[in-house]
Amino acid sequence: MLSRSHPKPARSGRPRSTEADEAILEATRASLVDLGWSKLTMGDVATRAGVAKTTLYRRWAGKNELVVDAVAVLFDELEMPDLGSLAADVEAVVLQFAALLERPETRTALMAVVAESTRDEALRARIRDSIVNRQKRLVLKGRQRAQERGELPVEPDEATAALTADLVFDVIAGAVVHRTLVSGEPVDADWAHRFTLLLLAGLGAAGGALPRPYGQKPAGSV
C-alpha cells in the first residue's frame, strides 16, 4: 500500500531563532562591560554567544546596529504602571528608569553608543528609532490615563500633543540620565518625588489643570 503524504510548503529562508537573538544581545552587553566599545568585535560576540560570525551578519550589518539593539531591548523592560494618579505613575517609572541605568550592562552600553553617535549620524538616527521613539510609548500611555482621570487637559490638536509628549520625554529622560550617569548622584524615592512635583507643576502651568505643589497659592492671592 502506498502511503499518502502531504508535501510541506517550501520555506523562503531560514527562520530567525529567538534564543539565538537573545544570546547574541546578551553576549554583546557582556562584551561591552568587559572590553569596552573600541575592543568589542563581532567575532568576540559570536564566540560568547556560541554562534557563527555569519549568523551575526545575517541579522546585523555591523557593530553599531548590534549594540543599539542590545541596548534597546533593555529599555523595552520599562513599563508605565497604573497606580491611580499621574504623580504616582511618574514617580514609579522614574525609579524604574534609574534602576535600569544602574545596571552595569545598561550604563556601559548606553554611554558607548551615545559617545560613538557624536561621530556617526546614521548611528544617532538608529538610536532615535530603536530607543527614543520606542520609549515615548510610556509618556503617551501615562498622558492618556491622566487625561481620562481629568488630571491633564486634552491638547487642542495632534501637533501640540506631539510637541508636549516630546518635551515631557526629554525632560524625564534627560534629568534621570544626567543625574545617574553624569552627576553620579542617586535617584531615590525623595528625589523622584521632588522631580515629579516640579514636572507636574510645569504641566499644570501650561494646561491650568493640575494643583500647585505643596498647596502653594497663586501669586497675589491672600
Side-chain angles (χ1 to χ4, degrees), residues 7-101:
K8 296 181 179 179
R11 293 177 176 175
S12 58
R14 182 178 297 178
R16 288 184 63 155
S17 165
T18 301
E19 292 78 8
D21 285 355
E22 292 175 352
I24 291 167
L25 296 177
E26 183 176 350
T28 301
R29 295 188 294 269
S31 294
L32 274 170
V33 172
D34 292 344
L35 304 175
W37 176 277
S38 62
K39 294 183 179 179
L40 182 146
T41 66
M42 298 289 272
D44 178 72
V45 172
T47 299
R48 287 177 184 248
V51 300
K53 191 189 297 186
T54 53
T55 301
L56 266 69
Y57 282 108
R58 280 199 299 267
R59 292 159 162 78
W60 293 278
K63 181 168 76 172
N64 289 1
E65 293 82 2
L66 174 60
V67 173
V68 171
D69 284 2
V71 178
V73 296
L74 293 177
F75 284 94
D76 286 342
E77 297 175 13
L78 295 173
E79 291 294 338
M80 175 61 75
D82 188 358
L83 300 177
S85 73
L86 180 59
D89 293 351
V90 171
E91 286 185 35
V93 81
V94 163
L95 291 172
Q96 276 187 57
F97 185 28
L100 180 62
L101 293 178

Side-chain angles (χ1 to χ4, degrees), residues 86 90 139 143 146 151-153 155 164-165 167-169 171-172 196-211:
L86 180 59
V90 171
V139 173
R143 181 182 62 184
E151 295 176 289
L152 284 179
E155 289 86 351
T164 302
L167 182 58
V168 171
F169 179 86
V171 169
I172 295 175
T196 299
L197 287 174
L198 185 65
L199 176 66
L200 298 192
L203 288 172
L210 292 176

